[in-house]
Amino acid sequence: MTTRSTRPATIADLAASLKLSKSAVSNALNNRPGVSPATRARVQAAAERSGWRPNALAKALSTGQAGAFGLCIARDSRVLGSESYYQRVIAGIEEVLIDSDHALLLRLVGPTGRDLDVYRQWAREHRVDAVALFDLQADDPRPPLMDELGLPAVIQGSTTSTHHPVVNGDVHAEVRMIIEHVRSRGASRVIFLHGPTHFTHEIDRLAAMRAATRAHGMPLRTIETDYSQEQGLAHGRDLLADGWADAVITSNDLLAVGVARALGDLTGADSALQDPADVRIVSWDDSLLCAYMRPGITALNRHPQSTGRQVGRLLLSLVGGGSGAAATDAGSAPEDEGHRTTLVVRESSEVPDRIED
């Protein structure tokens, strides 16, 4: 008794069944010249019926491409697993790559410097055709390493690089939105809980926040954190207990949630805070946490998925697989589908109505 083979159809199988040469079938399947439109349509229809799929290894050998882009994230998994920014960025990249011949190769290594070894391994083994670099640092070793390894790169964030494509937001516009909002709600003294200052985006945020508050005559206190909810809670308790601040700005949603929890705790006789509702909280990153907290947390919607789509398109452009600027100045990457940063106003920054006695 014979059994029917379940192996995938090959180009040779298609060529035999259609009575065409293997080169003609290959040209038709890969949209190369050398076959008529009618033959191309016939081959592609037969491939669809037979369940033919391209052989990734054979394609890599013929094109010289790995068929993958690399994203190595060097962040504390405790924070990374809770915040949604990277999840939405990755979703945006995948939206672009789903219709391409490239996949996303993701590695999470923690803040230990092991990411440099990952890039070297990828280059040595020809695992990726280009990489996306996030969380740029002062004197970041990665852009020059990519040049040394011959790995094309797209940079997301503030950088002095002049020859890599860059996707970056306008931090000064973001600060203006936040400060103008809290001022319009009566705030005059600001605390800024920011992330580690070895990140260039945090350096930029600090500089912009200091300039904006100084321009409006608003006293400012700043403190560095690790982005965690635990530090938002601990620092929130310490900084708010004396009743000095009436606005707290945080660099991400986890910190904002921690501060909101701290405010909820500062209702006893030991606190100098007259009314926790008089403190406005604004997060630099919007998320479901901000939306579903009670009270809801006012936050910047920076459209991370849009950022991911921009990064994905630029990665494809580096290997000739899509459109995108070969290089852009920081902050000048085109907006994706009109998605500009907006401030989503929720209860955490609104002034409650009070009934006078």
Side-chain angles (χ1 to χ4, degrees), residues 174-194 205-206 208-223 235 239-240 242-251 259 278-284 349:
E174 293 167 356
V175 169
R176 283 195 300 272
M177 270 188 261
I178 294 171
I179 294 301
E180 288 172 7
H181 174 72
V182 297
R183 287 185 72 240
S184 73
R185 268 53 176 182
S188 59
R189 297 175 304 280
V190 178
I191 289 174
F192 180 33
L193 296 185
H194 57 84
R205 289 177 182 183
L206 264 172
M209 187 68 71
R210 285 169 176 153
T213 52
R214 185 168 56 247
H216 291 292
M218 302 172 73
L220 173 69
R221 293 180 181 175
T222 67
I223 189 163
H235 291 306
L239 293 169
L240 294 170
D242 62 4
W244 178 84
D246 50 23
V248 181
I249 316 302
T250 68
S251 261
V259 172
D278 286 333
V279 178
R280 295 91 176 102
I281 303 174
V282 180
S283 166
W284 217 293
S349 65

Side-chain angles (χ1 to χ4, degrees), residues 277-293:
D278 286 333
V279 178
R280 295 91 176 102
I281 303 174
V282 180
S283 166
W284 217 293
D285 283 328
D286 196 15
S287 70
L288 290 176
L289 283 175
C290 294
Y292 288 108
M293 274 289 291

Side-chain angles (χ1 to χ4, degrees), residues 237 240-243 261-277:
R237 286 171 175 163
L240 294 170
D242 62 4
R261 288 179 55 199
L263 273 179
D265 294 342
L266 294 174
T267 56
D270 294 336
S271 173
L273 195 64
Q274 295 297 314
D275 187 344

Side-chain angles (χ1 to χ4, degrees), residues 115-133:
D115 55 330
L116 301 183
D117 293 331
V118 170
Y119 295 125
R120 293 187 180 100
Q121 179 184 11
W122 281 347
R124 184 172 60 250
E125 298 176 359
H126 304 288
R127 299 284 298 278
V128 297
D129 298 312
V131 297
L133 304 180

Side-chain angles (χ1 to χ4, degrees), residues 41-276:
R42 190 159 66 97
V43 171
Q44 292 177 349
E48 182 69 24
R49 288 194 304 272
S50 68
W52 175 86
R53 293 293 182 269
N55 183 296
L57 178 58
K59 188 173 181 66
L61 290 172
S62 66
T63 64
Q65 293 186 352
F69 297 122
L71 175 58
C72 186
I73 302 176
R75 282 281 196 100
D76 188 334
S77 60
R78 175 172 58 103
V79 175
L80 194 62
S82 302
E83 66 175 19
S84 65
Y85 178 80
Y86 267 114
Q87 298 168 29
R88 289 183 287 168
V89 165
I90 291 169
I93 295 174
E94 291 284 15
E95 277 184 34
V96 173
L97 299 188
I98 191 66
D99 293 323
S100 76
D101 293 329
H102 278 73
L104 184 66
L105 180 57
L106 175 66
R107 291 292 304 273
L108 307 178
V109 297
T112 60
R114 291 179 58 196
D115 55 330
L116 301 183
D117 293 331
V118 170
Y119 295 125
R120 293 187 180 100
Q121 179 184 11
W122 281 347
R124 184 172 60 250
E125 298 176 359
H126 304 288
R127 299 284 298 278
V128 297
D129 298 312
V131 297
L133 304 180
F134 283 73
D135 290 331
L136 268 286
Q137 302 185 26
D139 300 319
D140 198 304
R142 290 175 297 168
L145 178 62
M146 299 309 107
D147 295 339
E148 176 189 328
L149 297 174
L151 267 180
V154 173
I155 294 176
Q156 193 282 318
S158 176
T159 177
T160 57
S161 172
T162 58
H163 61 283
H164 294 99
V166 175
V167 175
N168 196 21
D170 185 345
V171 68
H172 292 282
E174 293 167 356
V175 169
R176 283 195 300 272
M177 270 188 261
I178 294 171
I179 294 301
E180 288 172 7
H181 174 72
V182 297
R183 287 185 72 240
S184 73
R185 268 53 176 182
S188 59
R189 297 175 304 280
V190 178
I191 289 174
F192 180 33
L193 296 185
H194 57 84
T197 51
H198 54 257
F199 292 134
T200 58
H201 66 267
E202 292 295 351
I203 295 171
D204 292 344
R205 289 177 182 183
L206 264 172
M209 187 68 71
R210 285 169 176 153
T213 52
R214 185 168 56 247
H216 291 292
M218 302 172 73
L220 173 69
R221 293 180 181 175
T222 67
I223 189 163
E224 184 170 337
T225 73
D226 65 359
Y227 292 121
S228 69
Q229 182 179 160
E230 291 77 14
Q231 289 208 350
L233 177 62
H235 291 306
R237 286 171 175 163
D238 293 342
L239 293 169
L240 294 170
D242 62 4
W244 178 84
D246 50 23
V248 181
I249 316 302
T250 68
S251 261
N252 75 345
D253 53 343
L254 295 178
L255 288 169
V257 169
V259 172
R261 288 179 55 199
L263 273 179
D265 294 342
L266 294 174
T267 56
D270 294 336
S271 173
L273 195 64
Q274 295 297 314
D275 187 344

